[in-house]
């Protein structure tokens, strides 16, 4: 009897534990979904900061997850591009972005999306001062984006950012845009595939970039 | 036991039963300012809130049991408090919560006194790393570019850095912290030498015009600290075709290593044939140079760097005798140079790191002056280890030990002279951030010189205070010792190291891509080496003294006009010294009271062309008139130079570059050399020392071959 009692007790505790974990994970996904939505729809610098605060809370509560750091990185990049005026303020946001990205990469070094964001950060640094940063950051950005594409050739965001880098370079050099437009075309294809393929299986995976890529198409006409 | 089983499903959920608690409070910093946007949450939960614009927060939670309330904000120390939430609904009033500021070393005050940064790292930088290679008139020479900054004096016949009344020898060059012996190309007298190291090797430059830290020594006036680039990130081949020679380099990189090698040949004879020169060359300067850089990442944070360079150059100048211009006195120079440097930096733990390295320089000169041959062989060794510790959040300690060796041998005919010098040094510096606005730093350097048999301790103290969000003042005081020059030690080994004492007061304001800098200093020299008889012979002693003082201004702006970047610098210098054969306290011939530079760079987007121009002015320099009473009583005319450079991006792989120095062809005079005989007017024959050519033209094509098309050398130009 004692054995049965013990077994039952253990069983109950384990199932309770599993259920709690499951519930915890559901709770994580629900919370993250909500925050990701606010990141995508933020319209002010403060809204981004609020989202970042929430992401930091989740990251602290749920250790070992890379997604909160990914979106915090993304939110900081958005703040740098949309609300920062001048090189120094941009750098301030990008430094924070890089801090978050570093944590995410430590948790998931093989994630293509993270390397794409790294390329994005270098690209924005470059754009803050192309004259002096051109060489260093274009090299770093291309390297990170190449890595992202090598890890996942179907990553539409990595392709879209690559198209941006290629187009910027070609424009600067006065060359034709055919290769950058080809990359953009490919990224748009992958965005379409992603739309179809995006299932509930990966609810927290990034899905931004389609509209920006579509907007960029203008320049290929 | 059974009751447990039965009750378990009921008890467990009960523990997690819904009960709401509300926290309320206000978060402020120590000056009473509300911390708007501070992140407030219960650790381990997703529930949280941010402080409003008065610092208030109200957080409602359904959690229960023992919890940790967490309040954080960038720039402040995180606040955590344990709270126990019971099953009742309640309101928990937390009152006022103070957050303590943390020290953010990127944002905090930095010491700028005597320090001109081009590292790309600090907010206080006055140049960015690329400026070194894009300044017109500098012809991609590090010293040339730094000569447009405050604190330097133009000395056209030397090519070295002369800082704040100090001679060229008083500036020492360090690569990745390791000493470089004889950092400038060997050349014949009155023909300026270039720096031996290509500016493209470096990612950052810290040029100290005084008051530098205890880690560096053996320089009375200035330390030029160069940081080489880290691991290369792309495979590439670079080819340069220039009016003065050609080079080819290859860079190969792996996941954690990279290797770059370069071979360069320079020969000025075709150029000298095409463009008129002021000097007559029997054999125009030519050189062959090779260098290689290896990088290996060590662990997560560490980097091992190895660099090696060799150079061989030779030239023969036909110098006319001052008294009989038909008499040619050939001057032949042959130089072989090797520099090796290996450094390792790594972290020990989160709060400590180290840098260690070894360097070796071998510089051999054979000079033949009108049939008399002299040979000089100088060797320098340097090894050191430096530790950095974060003792507390706001307190840092840097300490280390090093060993500097100098072997010097000189042979003229059958006579040989040599000496070996070994210097042991230990240094320690404590840095204390009282808060983000106030920084104090105190250091001590202790050296023991085995040749001079002297042991010395020299203090270094500095402080910086932030006067506003973008401005700060800083102060620096320090004592600096440097063993006497090799030629003096060959004469006499019983000597002491001369000493310089620096006092610097500096103000700097950085506002959105604009920099304003004002600095004033006072420097005293003691124990300068002097001929006891006041003539250039006989025994030496250390009775010499001197001083230098001045005011310097710097303004840079690359924001007001789009794509235009310019800077202006002005230095006033008042200096006198009594050393060597000076009979009295006198102005040295290398000093000029006023130096000013204006540098402009403009990029034409549509033409993919950048144009740069610089104008430099130096007031008259002193020279000694042999036949008149007095000392250094002559004054040259002022120095003026207008230079221009143009870079054109032909396509993504080819850049064309051209530059002209001294566009106006002004005949600058640096001083005079005297003969023995008198001319028809009864005055001693003399000859002006001037530039080697009225103008200098440079044309080059720089080609980059790489899979990555954007890696061209444009930003290099």
């Amino acid at each position: 009897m004692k054995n049965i009692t013990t077994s039952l007790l253990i069983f109950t505790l384990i199932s309770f534990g599993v259920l709690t974990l499951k519930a915890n994970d559901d709770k994580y996904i629900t919370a993250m979904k909500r925050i990701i939505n606010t990141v995508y729809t933020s319209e002010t610098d403060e809204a981004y900061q609020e989202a970042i605060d929430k992401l930091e809370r989740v990251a602290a509560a749920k250790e070992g997850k890379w997604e909160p750091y990914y979106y915090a990185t993304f939110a900081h990049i958005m703040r740098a591009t949309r609300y920062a005026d001048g090189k120094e303020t941009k750098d301030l946001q990008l430094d924070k972005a890089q801090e978050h990205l570093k944590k995410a990469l430590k948790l998931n070094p093989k994630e293509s999306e993270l390397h794409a964001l790294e390329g994005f950060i270098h690209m924005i640094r470059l754009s803050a001062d192309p004259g002096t940063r051109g060489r260093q950051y274009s090299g770093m950005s291309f390297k990170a984006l190449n890595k992202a594409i090598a890890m996942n050739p179907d990553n539409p965001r990595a392709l879209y950012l690559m198209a941006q880098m290629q187009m910027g370079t070609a424009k600067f050099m006065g060359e034709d845009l055919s290769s950058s437009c080809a990359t953009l075309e490919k990224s748009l294809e992958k965005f379409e595939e992603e739309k179809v393929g995006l299932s509930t299986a990966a609810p927290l995976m990034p899905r931004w970039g389609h509209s920006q890529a579509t907007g960029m198409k203008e320049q290929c006409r | 036991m059974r009751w447990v089983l039965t009750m378990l499903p009921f008890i467990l959920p009960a523990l997690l039963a819904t009960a709401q608690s509300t926290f309320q409070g206000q978060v402020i910093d120590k000056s009473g300012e509300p911390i708007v946007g501070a992140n407030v949450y219960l650790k381990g939960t997703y529930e949280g809130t941010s402080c409003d614009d008065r610092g208030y927060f109200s957080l409602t939670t359904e959690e229960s049991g023992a919890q940790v309330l967490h309040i954080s904000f960038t720039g402040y120390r995180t606040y955590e408090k344990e709270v126990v939430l019971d099953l009742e609904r309640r309101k928990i009033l937390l009152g006022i919560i103070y957050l303590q500021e943390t020290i953010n070393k990127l944002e905090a005050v930095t010491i700028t006194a005597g320090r001109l940064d081009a590292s790309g790292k600090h907010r206080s930088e006055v140049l960015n790393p690329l400026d070194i290679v894009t300044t017109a008139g500098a012809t991609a020479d590090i010293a040339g570019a730094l000569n447009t900054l405050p604190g330097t004096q133009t000395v056209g016949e030397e090519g070295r850095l002369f800082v704040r009344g100090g001679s060229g020898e008083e500036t020492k060059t360090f690569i990745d912290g390791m000493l470089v012996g004889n950092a400038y190309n060997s050349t014949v007298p009155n023909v300026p030498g270039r720096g031996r190291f290509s500016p493209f090797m470096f990612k950052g430059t810290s040029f100290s015009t005084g008051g530098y830290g205890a880690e560096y020594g053996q320089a009375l006036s200035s330390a030029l600290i160069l940081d080489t680039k880290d691991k290369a990130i792309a495979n590439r081949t670079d080819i340069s075709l220039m009016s003065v020679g050609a080079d080819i380099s290859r860079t190969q990189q792996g996941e954690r290593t990279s290797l770059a090698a370069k071979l360069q040949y320079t020969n000025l004879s075709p150029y000298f044939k095409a463009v008129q020169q002021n000097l007559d060359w029997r054999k125009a300067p030519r050189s062959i140079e090779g260098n290689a850089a290896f990088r290996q990442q060590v662990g997560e944070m560490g980097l091992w760097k190895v660099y090696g360079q060799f150079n061989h150059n030779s030239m023969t100048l036909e110098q006319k005798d001052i008294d009989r211009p038909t008499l040619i006195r050939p001057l032949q120079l042959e130089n072989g140079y090797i520099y090796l440097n290996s450094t390792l930096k790594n972290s020990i733990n989160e709060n400590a790191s180290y840098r260690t390295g070894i360097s070796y320089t071998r510089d051999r000169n054979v000079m033949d002056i009108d049939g008399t041959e002299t040979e000089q062989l100088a060797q320098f060794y340097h090894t050191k280890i430096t530790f950095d510790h974060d003792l507390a959040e706001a307190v840092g300690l840097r300490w280390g030990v090093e060993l500097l060796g100098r072997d010097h041998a000189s042979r003229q005919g059958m006579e040989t002279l040599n000496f070996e010098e070994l210097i042991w040094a230990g240094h320690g510096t404590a840095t204390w951030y009282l808060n983000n606005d106030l920084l104090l730093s105190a250091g001590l350097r202790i050296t023991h010189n085995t040749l001079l048999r002297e042991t010395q301790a020299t203090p270094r103290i500095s402080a910086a205070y932030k006067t506003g969000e973008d401005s700060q003042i800083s102060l620096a005081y320090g004592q600096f010792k440097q063993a006497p020059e090799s030629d003096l030690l060959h004469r006499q080994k019983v000597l002491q190291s001369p000493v310089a004492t620096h006092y610097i007061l500096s103000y700097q304001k950085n506002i959105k891509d604009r920099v304003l800098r004002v600095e004033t200093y006072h420097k005293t020299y003691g124990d300068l080496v002097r001929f006891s008889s006041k003539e250039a012979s006989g025994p030496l002693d250390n009775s010499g003294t001197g001083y230098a003082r001045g005011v310097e201004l710097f303004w840079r702006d690359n924001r007001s006009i789009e794509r235009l970047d310019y800077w202006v610098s002005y230095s006033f210098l008042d200096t006198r010294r009594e050393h060597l054969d000076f009979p009295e306290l006198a102005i040295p011939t290398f000093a000029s009271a006023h130096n000013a530079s204006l540098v402009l760079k403009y990029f034409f987007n549509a033409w993919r062309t950048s144009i740069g121009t610089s104008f430099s002015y130096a007031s008259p320099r002193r020279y000694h008139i042999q036949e008149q009473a007095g000392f250094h009583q002559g004054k040259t005319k002022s120095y003026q130079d207008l230079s221009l450079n143009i870079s054109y991006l032909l396509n993504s792989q080819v850049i064309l570059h051209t530059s002209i120095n001294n566009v106006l062809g002004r005949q600058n005079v640096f001083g005079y050399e005297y003969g023995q005989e008198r001319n028809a007017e009864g005055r001693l024959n003399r000859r002006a020392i001037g530039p080697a050519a009225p103008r200098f033209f440079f044309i080059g094509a720089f080609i980059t071959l790489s899979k990555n098309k954007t890696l061209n050398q444009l930003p290099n130009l």
Side-chain angles (χ1 to χ4, degrees):
Chain A
M1 186 64 200
K2 204 169 187 187
N3 272 343
I4 297 171
T5 317
T6 319
S7 317
L8 272 172
L9 186 61
I10 289 171
F11 175 77
T12 317
L13 279 174
I14 289 175
S15 24
F16 185 78
V18 168
L19 282 173
T20 319
L21 277 179
K22 175 84 172 69
N24 248 336
D25 228 54
D26 284 346
K27 200 172 149 198
Y28 168 71
I29 288 169
T30 321
M32 277 301 287
K33 272 184 172 167
R34 204 178 312 134
I35 304 169
I36 290 166
N37 196 41
T38 53
V39 171
Y40 286 156
T41 53
S42 286
E43 284 300 332
T44 60
D45 201 26
E46 292 73 28
Y48 277 116
Q49 183 55 54
E50 241 169 75
I52 292 164
D53 283 348
K54 284 179 187 161
L55 288 162
E56 280 176 1
R57 276 173 225 147
V58 176
K62 194 85 181 158
E63 280 174 33
K65 296 281 186 190
W66 64 276
E67 291 97 343
Y69 295 117
Y70 174 91
Y71 289 99
T73 308
F74 179 73
H76 277 301
I77 296 175
M78 287 298 112
R79 291 179 73 184
T81 53
R82 297 172 70 169
Y83 303 109
D85 170 43
K87 193 163 84 176
E88 281 164 23
T89 35
K90 270 195 172 127
D91 276 350
L92 211 69
Q93 289 299 332
L94 295 172
D95 288 346
K96 286 180 186 167
Q98 221 147 6
E99 262 172 53
H100 286 296
L101 185 65
K102 204 172 147 192
K103 288 178 189 159
L105 275 168
K106 211 164 184 179
L107 294 167
N108 195 357
K110 296 250 146 61
E111 178 53 61
S112 164
E113 298 286 356
L114 292 174
H115 294 279
L117 275 200
E118 194 192 331
F120 201 175
I121 292 175
H122 296 320
M123 184 167 97
I124 303 304
R125 278 204 208 272
L126 187 164
S127 69
D129 187 0
T132 53
R133 291 176 169 185
R135 176 178 178 183
Q136 189 189 356
Y137 287 103
S138 75
M140 285 161 75
S141 180
F142 274 114
K143 191 178 180 182
L145 294 174
N146 274 323
K147 209 166 173 179
I149 293 168
M151 281 172 176
N152 177 11
D154 298 332
N155 182 345
R157 278 159 295 280
L159 289 163
Y160 155 66
L161 292 168
M162 176 60 101
Q164 278 235 329
M165 281 299 296
Q166 287 173 335
M167 189 175 280
T169 310
K171 278 186 174 168
F172 182 78
M173 301 289 175
E175 289 167 350
D176 74 302
L177 305 179
S178 56
S179 71
S180 52
C181 287
T183 314
L184 181 67
E185 218 32 70
K186 205 167 155 198
S187 104
L188 285 166
E189 257 171 53
K190 299 294 174 192
F191 272 120
E192 289 300 334
E193 282 174 29
E194 183 178 78
K195 229 183 208 172
V196 180
L198 247 194
S199 62
T200 44
L204 302 185
M205 284 305 277
R207 48 197 311 180
W208 59 271
H210 195 175
S211 61
Q212 290 96 317
T214 315
M216 196 178 149
K217 232 178 133 181
E218 286 289 297
Q219 301 175 62
C220 285
R221 283 201 187 111
Chain B
M1 202 64 199
R2 185 165 296 176
W3 67 271
V4 180
L5 253 187
T6 336
M7 294 299 284
L8 199 62
F10 302 102
I11 294 169
L12 279 172
L15 287 173
L16 301 162
T18 329
Q20 279 194 329
S21 308
T22 302
F23 294 94
Q24 284 184 345
Q26 189 191 16
V27 183
I28 61 173
D29 68 12
K30 70 169 190 273
S31 60
E33 289 293 310
I35 300 176
V36 182
N39 198 354
V40 183
Y41 60 94
L42 287 177
K43 229 179 160 183
T45 73
Y46 304 154
E47 287 159 66
T49 183
S50 304
C51 291
D52 65 15
D53 47 10
R54 289 177 305 151
Y56 286 105
F57 69 88
S58 172
L59 171 62
T60 304
T61 176
E62 295 180 352
E63 302 290 332
S64 61
Q67 298 285 348
V68 176
L69 179 75
H70 173 112
I71 303 174
S72 61
F73 192 67
T74 313
Y76 292 88
R77 203 169 289 167
T78 297
Y79 170 93
E80 285 190 347
K81 184 187 167 81
E82 273 191 40
V83 283
V84 179
L85 305 176
D86 42 39
L87 299 176
E88 296 160 38
R89 292 163 176 254
R90 31 182 309 205
K91 196 171 233 180
I92 301 166
L93 299 176
L94 292 160
I96 290 173
I97 295 163
Y98 291 95
L99 287 197
Q100 265 193 313
E101 248 189 305
T102 55
I103 304 297
N104 177 352
K105 283 173 188 155
L106 284 175
E107 288 292 291
V109 63
T110 50
I111 290 164
T112 56
R115 185 167 156 173
L116 296 157
D117 249 326
S119 60
K121 277 190 293 205
H122 300 283
R123 283 190 67 197
S124 59
E125 69 173 22
V126 295
L127 294 188
N128 62 57
L130 279 173
D131 288 327
I132 307 285
V133 290
T134 53
T135 300
T139 55
D141 181 47
I142 296 172
L146 298 179
N147 254 325
T148 64
L149 294 183
T152 59
Q153 278 84 53
T154 301
V155 182
E157 73 278 22
E158 283 279 359
R160 286 185 290 180
L161 284 165
F162 285 71
V163 177
R164 290 184 172 170
S167 70
E169 286 83 19
E170 292 175 30
T171 299
K172 284 276 164 73
T173 304
F174 299 87
I175 292 181
D176 292 326
M178 308 309 298
L179 178 79
V180 181
N182 300 354
Y184 299 90
N185 273 332
S186 279
T187 174
V188 292
N190 301 334
V191 175
R194 280 171 66 86
R196 289 188 179 274
F197 299 91
S198 158
F200 306 129
M201 282 171 55
F202 304 103
K203 63 170 181 184
T205 303
S206 175
F207 177 42
S208 170
T209 53
Y212 46 90
E215 185 185 343
Y216 298 98
Q218 291 302 310
L220 283 177
S221 281
S222 161
L224 174 61
I225 300 156
L226 303 162
D227 284 327
T228 58
K229 287 180 177 162
D230 295 337
K231 191 186 99 55
I233 58 166
N235 294 338
R236 54 188 286 172
T237 302
D238 292 296
I239 299 165
S240 309
L241 303 169
M242 299 166 283
S243 50
V244 295
D247 67 51
I248 179 159
S249 66
R250 174 71 193 165
T251 306
Q252 199 75 34
Q253 62 100 28
E255 189 59 34
R256 293 175 67 81
T257 58
S258 71
L259 181 67
K262 178 175 169 180
L263 197 66
Q264 177 170 11
Y265 178 71
T266 313
N267 188 334
L268 283 142
S269 66
Y271 173 75
F272 283 178
K273 276 184 190 126
V275 181
Q276 185 219 327
Q277 298 294 301
N278 290 339
L279 302 173
D280 300 312
W281 294 93
R282 182 175 290 176
K283 183 181 165 193
R286 64 203 57 187
S287 77
I288 183 147
E289 182 175 310
N291 65 48
F294 171 76
R295 304 284 180 261
Q296 166 84 53
Q297 284 178 0
V298 179
E300 209 174 311
M301 303 288 286
L303 187 63
W304 177 35
K305 295 178 172 180
V306 182
Y307 178 77
Q309 171 169 325
F310 79 88
N311 175 296
H312 184 269
N313 86 75
S314 58
M315 62 187 83
T316 308
L317 183 67
E318 290 187 340
Q319 205 157 36
K320 292 188 185 94
D321 188 271
I322 296 172
D323 294 317
R324 289 182 197 79
T326 48
L327 185 66
I328 303 290
R329 298 186 183 279
L331 216 131
Q332 186 186 325
L333 173 82
E334 210 168 307
N335 173 260
Y337 185 84
I338 293 170
Y339 180 69
L340 300 170
N341 167 320
S342 170
T343 59
L344 171 66
K345 60 173 182 183
N346 208 345
S347 56
I348 299 166
N349 55 43
E350 235 174 64
N351 297 317
S353 63
Y354 68 89
R355 288 174 285 130
T356 182
I358 184 162
S359 77
Y360 170 69
T361 311
R362 185 182 196 276
D363 188 22
R364 181 174 173 269
N365 268 314
V366 181
M367 201 181 284
D368 189 319
I369 303 171
D370 206 10
T372 313
E373 193 183 85
T374 34
E375 183 190 338
Q376 296 214 323
L377 176 64
Q379 294 180 89
F380 301 87
Y381 310 85
H382 185 198
T383 179
K384 75 176 198 181
I385 184 159
T386 308
F387 295 92
D388 277 291
H389 301 270
D390 290 331
L391 297 181
E393 188 195 343
V395 184
L397 174 69
R398 170 175 293 184
W399 66 279
V401 287
E402 65 180 334
L403 181 61
L404 292 137
R406 170 165 62 151
D407 280 11
H408 202 278
S410 171
R411 180 182 61 80
Q412 183 163 17
M414 295 299 284
E415 192 194 2
T416 0
L417 297 163
N418 59 62
F419 69 84
E420 282 177 26
E421 178 193 57
L422 212 55
I423 298 170
W424 291 91
H427 64 88
T429 305
T431 304
W432 180 29
Y433 288 88
L434 278 82
N435 51 49
N436 275 320
D437 297 335
L438 181 60
L439 167 65
L440 299 177
S441 172
L444 189 69
R445 181 179 173 87
I446 297 171
T447 54
H448 175 71
N449 187 317
T450 56
L451 178 72
L452 307 177
R453 296 187 189 168
E454 59 177 14
T455 305
Q456 302 151 327
T458 48
R460 318 277 162 96
I461 297 167
S462 51
Y465 177 69
K466 225 171 175 169
T467 47
E469 198 167 320
D470 309 300
S471 63
Q472 56 171 51
I473 49 172
S474 45
L475 286 160
Y477 157 82
Q479 270 193 5
F480 304 86
K481 297 245 184 186
Q482 181 177 358
E485 287 312 301
S486 299
D487 53 341
L488 296 171
L489 285 174
H490 281 313
R491 285 174 177 269
Q492 185 179 317
K493 290 178 187 66
V494 187
L495 281 175
Q496 295 166 30
S497 296
V499 60
T501 309
H502 302 181
Y503 304 86
I504 305 168
L505 172 64
S506 167
Y507 172 80
Q508 186 165 325
K509 193 170 171 78
N510 288 55
I511 353 145
K512 286 194 176 161
D513 308 328
R514 293 188 189 102
V515 185
L516 171 70
R517 191 181 155 101
V518 184
E519 194 158 298
T520 178
Y521 65 93
H522 182 81
K523 173 156 81 174
T524 58
Y525 286 98
D527 298 337
L528 290 175
V529 179
R530 204 164 155 229
F531 287 100
S532 304
S533 59
K534 299 192 179 182
E535 274 168 38
S537 61
L540 298 162
D541 60 36
N542 281 96
S543 62
T545 57
Y547 71 86
R549 56 196 175 206
V551 180
E552 294 159 1
L553 299 170
F554 178 80
W555 166 251
R556 179 170 191 169
D557 179 358
N558 62 9
R559 190 179 174 90
S560 299
I561 301 166
E562 209 183 335
R563 293 196 297 279
L564 176 75
D565 185 7
Y566 72 91
W567 72 80
V568 191
S569 59
Y570 167 75
S571 313
F572 167 72
L573 167 70
D574 168 22
T575 184
R576 279 165 198 268
R577 57 169 67 193
E578 189 172 6
H579 76 152
L580 301 176
D581 58 341
F582 285 30
E584 62 196 30
L585 214 53
I587 299 171
T589 56
F590 54 76
S592 38
H594 308 278
N595 275 266
S597 295
L598 169 66
V599 177
L600 292 124
K601 297 171 187 187
Y602 188 78
F603 193 82
F604 293 90
N605 258 348
W607 302 344
R608 301 196 301 280
T609 300
S610 85
I611 292 185
T613 177
S614 69
F615 177 75
S616 299
Y617 168 87
S619 63
R621 279 165 58 186
R622 293 301 183 108
Y623 67 96
H624 186 60
I625 304 171
Q626 297 280 5
E627 58 215 306
Q628 270 179 28
F631 189 70
H632 287 184
Q633 65 287 61
K635 273 186 165 183
T636 66
K637 60 180 181 176
S638 68
Y639 169 90
Q640 290 168 39
D641 175 273
L642 178 71
S643 293
L644 207 66
N645 68 10
I646 301 169
S647 294
Y648 171 61
L649 189 58
L650 188 67
N651 57 45
S652 55
Q653 288 166 339
V654 182
I655 300 156
L656 303 176
H657 179 80
T658 180
S659 67
I660 311 167
N661 284 22
N662 197 13
V663 177
L664 304 174
R666 181 183 164 88
Q667 285 291 335
N668 286 311
V669 174
F670 307 135
Y672 291 92
E673 287 176 306
Y674 279 82
Q676 311 281 326
E677 294 166 19
R678 289 175 190 275
N679 59 18
E681 291 155 39
R683 304 183 60 178
L684 276 174
N685 289 320
R686 68 174 196 180
R687 174 170 62 206
I689 304 167
R695 292 180 186 82
F696 181 73
F697 300 91
F698 175 91
I699 301 168
F702 301 90
I703 303 151
T704 300
L705 304 171
S706 169
K707 275 188 188 163
N708 185 343
K709 279 187 161 189
T710 54
L711 286 173
N712 68 67
Q713 304 183 33
L714 173 77
N716 285 347
L717 297 173

